[in-house]
Amino acid sequence: LEVTTPGVFSLTATNFPACSLTKEITIDTTTCNPFIPNIFTPDGDGLNDYFYISNIPVKEMKLVIFNRWGQKVLESNDANIKWDGKDNSGNNVPDGVYYFIALYTDMLNRNYENTGNIQLIR
């Protein structure tokens, strides 16, 4: 059973023909905390190649990333954004520490804002 949205679900088990048991379960994302890494390595080895927020279903997101001088290097409204270490023009940004602002809405229409530093190492 795969559940992709929060809600109340019923599960019925039947031992044909005489017995059945029904249980209701509530699935909610209120206890989920986003996982936001503080380092990533977009070097193409398949490990930690992207910076993204996980562990919480996101419906909408705005991600803005700035370099150490406060210049915007990336802005995206893609709810599934995975930053690969490139700027909005598609150029690789250099190794270093970047600042991010993530504004997002979960599947229950709750709004969040996370900010912080992310280190990029190639």
Side-chain angles (χ1 to χ4, degrees):
L1 174 65
E2 181 177 331
V3 176
T4 58
T5 58
V8 177
F9 301 89
S10 294
L11 178 64
T12 302
T14 304
N15 182 359
F16 188 78
C19 184
S20 70
L21 175 66
T22 300
K23 282 287 199 183
E24 282 192 351
I25 60 170
T26 301
I27 306 229
D28 190 358
T29 58
T30 57
T31 58
C32 292
N33 293 315
F35 174 72
I36 304 173
N38 61 1
I39 189 169
F40 78 117
T41 57
D43 56 8
D45 68 355
L47 301 171
N48 301 316
D49 285 332
Y50 300 97
F51 167 73
Y52 61 98
I53 296 173
S54 61
N55 200 38
I56 186 167
V58 174
K59 183 167 67 172
E60 297 174 0
M61 177 178 298
K62 179 176 184 177
L63 178 66
V64 184
I65 298 178
F66 301 90
N67 65 17
R68 64 193 294 178
W69 297 280
Q71 299 165 321
K72 188 186 314 179
V73 296
L74 179 87
E75 183 172 349
S76 174
N77 289 313
D78 181 355
N80 300 307
I81 181 74
K82 290 185 176 184
W83 186 40
D84 58 2
K86 297 183 182 200
D87 63 18
N88 275 3
S89 299
N91 302 311
N92 285 338
V93 299
D95 288 13
V97 176
Y98 293 82
Y99 180 77
F100 73 89
I101 300 171
L103 308 169
Y104 51 98
T105 304
D106 70 9
M107 297 303 186
L108 296 175
N109 292 318
R110 294 176 296 205
N111 296 314
Y112 298 87
E113 178 177 337
N114 287 98
T115 61
N117 295 317
I118 178 75
Q119 184 169 2
L120 183 154
I121 301 174
R122 293 196 189 275

